[in-house]
Amino acid sequence: SDKTMPMIDPHECNEWIDDRLSNNDLFQQRGHWSTLYIETPLVSFHVEYRRSDWFNSVCDFQSLDAWMTKVSDKLHKSEWNGILGETRHKVYDSKTGEQIKADRSQL
């Protein structure tokens, strides 16, 4: 099915990727988001990166968001530690019953 095919043709993008490596400028875009998909046999990640306009940075900033999109059965059955372990399952406030989505101190 089309859902299992790559979103980009690696051969078509090789020249662009090689240029980014040679110029060391993968993250030097003009304030737009860069999206990276990382797939391994155990886990897949979706990563979003954005920085201020490299060439005209009035307000210099960087933003990085990442999340798991797929986890193998083997990895899912293992023990998770750190922030991943804390957020593996939904956590609810015992007083309000609301899902905790921010304020890590409540976990």
Side-chain angles (χ1 to χ4, degrees):
S1 106
D2 289 343
K3 291 181 180 180
T4 61
M5 296 180 64
M7 301 230 3
I8 58 173
D9 179 0
H11 301 292
E12 186 178 319
C13 295
N14 249 3
E15 185 177 340
W16 183 88
I17 292 169
D18 288 343
D19 287 346
R20 300 292 63 77
L21 288 170
S22 298
N23 298 330
N24 193 26
D25 66 356
L26 176 63
F27 296 113
Q28 296 176 3
Q29 74 276 9
R30 296 181 176 266
H32 300 289
W33 287 98
S34 292
T35 302
L36 300 130
Y37 298 101
I38 303 166
E39 294 185 14
T40 73
L42 292 177
V43 64
S44 295
F45 296 94
H46 180 112
V47 181
E48 299 279 342
Y49 175 80
R50 183 179 182 200
R51 69 165 300 144
S52 53
D53 186 340
W54 178 262
F55 303 99
N56 184 21
S57 58
V58 176
C59 176
D60 197 23
F61 68 89
Q62 294 186 50
S63 177
L64 179 70
D65 295 321
W67 57 92
M68 291 180 181
T69 55
K70 293 181 198 169
V71 177
S72 70
D73 289 340
K74 179 181 179 181
L75 184 61
H76 193 268
K77 291 175 186 173
S78 66
E79 181 179 344
W80 295 19
N81 297 302
I83 189 76
L84 294 177
E86 293 171 356
T87 59
R88 182 175 181 183
H89 304 287
K90 292 180 181 179
V91 179
Y92 297 91
D93 184 297
S94 59
K95 295 176 185 168
T96 66
E98 296 287 320
Q99 182 182 354
I100 300 172
K101 296 182 179 180
D103 191 1
R104 189 167 183 240
S105 66
Q106 292 184 3
L107 296 176

